[in-house]
Amino acid sequence: MTASTRSVRPVPARVRVRATPPWWRDAIGVACWVSALVVAALWLRGRGAQSLVAGAGEQLTSLGRLTGLVAADLLLIQVLLMARVPMIERSYGQDELARRHRLVGFWSFNLLLAHIVLITFGYALSGHVNVVSETWTLVSSYGGMLLAVAATAALTAVTVTSVRIARRRLRYESWHLLHLYAYLGVGLSIPHEIWTGQDFISSGLSRFYWWSSYALAAGAVLVFRVGLPVLRTFRHGIRVTSVVQETPDVLTVRMGGRGLHRLPVQAGQFFIFRFLDGPGWSRGNPYSLSAAPRHDRIQITAKDLGDGSGRLRSLRPGTGVLIEGPYGRLTGEHRVGSKVAMIASGIGITPMRALLEDLEYDKGDAILIYRAHSAQDLVFREELDALASERGVTVHYLTGPRGVGADSWLPRHHPQARGGDALRRLIPDLRRYDVFVCGPDAWMDAVADAALTAGLPPGQLHQERFTW
Ligand SMILES: Cc1cc2nc3c(=O)[nH]c(=O)nc-3n(C[C@H](O)[C@H](O)[C@H](O)COP(=O)(O)OP(=O)(O)OC[C@H]3O[C@@H](n4cnc5c(N)ncnc54)[C@H](O)[C@@H]3O)c2cc1C
């Protein structure tokens, strides 16, 4: 058979990812509020309001029941928010979910403290005993209370280490490991809810609500944090194919696998990767795809910042890879118009390059603004220049030391001192663009500020943060 008659295997088409309906986000928000209302209604049904007009002890106890119920409900919402349920993840994006999870977490913890104080004082007042002896009685003679104390300790450790100052001092892995104690806290609190919490078991309705809520949260974690990643990992058998040094501290890892066209991933998304290259493999690191996903390969590009990213340097072809994902909503599916502008700084270029390769746009309708400390730090220069000539992307490289103040997203010596003016000049007709932004946190805030000041409608600003 000659080369010309040899049959060529068709390239399988990548699976189409269905767009996330915008109402999902509202529906999830409403569901959270409804769950809080259901809990309040169950408390009312358990004569919670009547107890408020009884004696002082009864009042405190009733408020303690309410705060405890809402705290438990918020705890389950917290678990669900981080369970990587695709509907939730794609509606909010991981970075916003992490912020909401944090906010709900602090509310849940404060209500838990209020619950403990109110119940203890309420029981002490009703029993005409002092608070110290009531505390001892509660812990030593009520079913499940010792476990509840352990649950409180676990949740306290999680909350204290999540306060910004403490979090900054901890290594990411230590913080993450401690954070898993939250699951322990949720589990250990259940026995006291069943054995002493009358609102949990008083009626068939409340039993149904609480058991189905716990089952939903546990099921979501098992299916989406464990089952789906394991399934995808085995199905696709991803392995490293090559490692390419891009700049002295940035490298690209290319990976291949079976049936990658069936992986429902879009340019701009990220996975949590675990490379099976020896001790330490169990620690996952999130990386965005740095090129449009192909039917037979994906790739990431990472800056060497610490232990996890540093070990990528020694990866060998053939190394197995565990994947969790795809995650993230920095994709083309939320575009409003036909023009796109990508604004990246440093390693934030990775999802931008993938998006520029993958999105549909006419010649002249795409702009890339790429900020780096120096010309040597620009990654993908060749590939970006090729995109400029082949697909008509206008590329602006902004190099130089960091500026100061609110407009610090520009290099220090940029001719336009004000960020908004510079943006209007670089992206004339800014209002007609969808603007995608990725880079360090403070830099992204400055870009977002400049873009909104320059008149970009908020719905056309799309961002993904590399920190949670
Ligand atoms: C959605 C997302 C996409 C990302 N995409 C890229 C990319 O394309 N290229 C790139 O170079 N970097 C990317 N990052 C950043 C990258 O994940 C971190 O630089 C890397 O995990 C650092 O790990 P380390 O052990 O080398 O450094 P460390 O010194 O351990 O950590 C440095 C910092 O990275 C963060 N970090 C570490 N491990 C994790 C983790 N498992 N999950 C979340 N944050 C962590 C922490 O905030 C920490 O302070 C991305 C991060 C996120 C959240």
Side-chain angles (χ1 to χ4, degrees):
M1 198 188 286
T2 63
S4 56
T5 56
R6 197 179 296 142
S7 66
V8 180
R9 255 217 229 153
V11 172
R14 257 171 51 208
V15 72
R16 273 182 72 83
V17 181
R18 267 198 278 152
T20 318
W23 58 265
W24 275 12
R25 198 180 155 102
D26 300 331
I28 293 162
V30 169
C32 292
W33 283 107
V34 166
S35 78
L37 286 178
V38 170
V39 165
L42 290 174
W43 169 79
L44 283 174
R45 204 165 178 267
R47 304 183 63 76
Q50 284 90 328
S51 307
L52 288 181
V53 289
E58 282 279 295
Q59 280 173 0
L60 293 184
T61 308
S62 183
L63 284 175
R65 277 164 47 205
L66 180 61
T67 49
L69 290 168
V70 180
D73 196 53
L74 292 183
L75 208 54
L76 291 179
I77 289 179
Q78 254 189 299
V79 172
L80 268 175
L81 287 183
M82 296 313 273
R84 314 246 201 264
V85 180
M87 176 182 180
I88 301 177
E89 211 275 331
R90 286 180 52 203
S91 299
Y92 287 91
Q94 204 56 43
D95 48 357
E96 192 181 336
L97 275 180
R99 276 197 297 282
R100 285 175 187 247
H101 166 84
R102 202 180 145 79
L103 185 73
V104 174
F106 282 112
W107 270 103
S108 159
F109 186 69
N110 289 335
L111 287 170
L112 171 70
L113 293 184
H115 163 71
I116 294 169
V117 172
L118 287 166
I119 289 282
T120 313
F121 275 81
Y123 277 29
L125 269 176
S126 300
H128 307 288
V129 289
N130 70 50
V131 174
V132 178
S133 76
E134 184 56 48
T135 307
W136 174 247
T137 312
L138 271 173
V139 173
S140 59
S141 47
Y142 282 72
M145 282 305 290
L146 275 176
L147 294 176
V149 171
T152 307
L155 293 171
T156 306
V158 172
T159 310
V160 169
T161 52
S162 297
V163 173
R164 274 185 219 287
I165 301 176
R167 165 118 194 236
R168 261 185 241 128
R169 285 165 193 260
L170 279 176
R171 277 169 63 85
Y172 180 85
E173 309 90 274
S174 319
W175 171 81
H176 190 248
L177 198 65
L178 261 169
H179 215 73
L180 297 180
Y181 281 32
Y183 293 117
L184 192 68
V186 176
L188 290 177
S189 65
I190 295 177
H192 100 283
E193 288 160 2
I194 297 168
W195 293 331
T196 62
Q198 66 178 75
D199 294 284
F200 281 83
I201 46 158
S202 58
S203 68
L205 207 62
S206 50
R207 274 197 302 276
F208 171 77
Y209 176 79
W210 285 108
W211 281 122
S212 38
S213 300
Y214 276 106
L216 184 70
V221 171
L222 286 176
V223 170
F224 296 110
R225 289 205 77 148
V226 183
L228 197 57
V230 169
L231 182 79
R232 288 201 171 132
T233 293
F234 279 108
R235 176 189 279 175
H236 298 292
I238 296 179
R239 298 201 168 267
V240 173
T241 52
S242 64
V243 178
V244 179
Q245 199 75 41
E246 303 280 356
T247 66
D249 61 352
V250 173
L251 54 75
T252 291
V253 181
R254 297 206 174 109
M255 291 160 265
R258 290 186 297 272
L260 288 184
H261 62 284
R262 279 186 279 132
L263 202 55
V265 60
Q266 303 175 74
Q269 288 193 300
F270 68 94
F271 289 87
I272 296 177
F273 290 92
R274 290 181 174 81
F275 294 95
L276 303 175
D277 58 344
W281 66 268
S282 60
R283 191 187 154 199
N285 291 81
Y287 291 109
S288 304
L289 297 189
S290 61
R294 301 275 155 77
H295 71 282
D296 59 348
R297 73 183 135 103
I298 53 173
Q299 74 168 51
I300 55 167
T301 299
K303 189 171 168 102
D304 183 351
L305 285 178
D307 299 344
S309 44
R311 62 187 286 170
L312 298 181
R313 197 180 290 273
S314 52
L315 286 179
R316 296 275 163 265
T319 305
V321 187
L322 307 186
I323 52 162
E324 248 186 83
Y327 301 130
R329 70 192 304 273
L330 189 77
T331 61
E333 74 176 66
H334 305 286
R335 269 171 80 179
V336 174
S338 56
K339 293 174 176 246
V340 290
M342 309 284 158
I343 312 183
S345 173
I347 200 63
I349 189 65
T350 53
M352 300 298 166
R353 177 199 162 188
L355 282 165
L356 277 175
E357 281 185 346
D358 210 43
L359 292 185
E360 284 178 18
Y361 49 85
D362 290 336
K363 271 195 171 188
D365 276 357
I367 296 178
L368 168 69
I369 302 173
Y370 181 10
R371 173 84 182 88
H373 186 75
S374 70
Q376 290 75 45
D377 294 319
L378 293 168
V379 187
F380 304 138
R381 181 99 199 223
E382 252 175 55
E383 293 83 348
L384 297 175
D385 290 344
L387 274 170
S389 64
E390 285 159 20
R391 296 202 57 191
V393 180
T394 308
V395 180
H396 299 285
Y397 296 114
L398 300 184
T399 55
R402 206 182 288 178
V404 283
D407 299 310
S408 59
W409 69 276
L410 291 169
R412 197 175 302 159
H413 303 298
H414 193 269
Q416 258 83 38
R418 295 168 66 89
D421 295 344
L423 209 55
R424 267 191 292 260
R425 188 163 280 247
L426 292 165
I427 314 175
D429 213 4
L430 175 70
R431 290 172 142 272
R432 296 186 55 204
Y433 280 79
D434 276 279
V435 176
F436 294 75
V437 186
C438 189
D441 273 357
W443 179 88
M444 284 179 69
D445 291 340
V447 174
D449 230 40
L452 298 175
T453 314
L456 182 78
Q460 286 164 232
L461 182 67
H462 313 279
Q463 314 184 58
E464 179 83 67
R465 290 181 189 262
F466 278 5
T467 50
W468 292 333

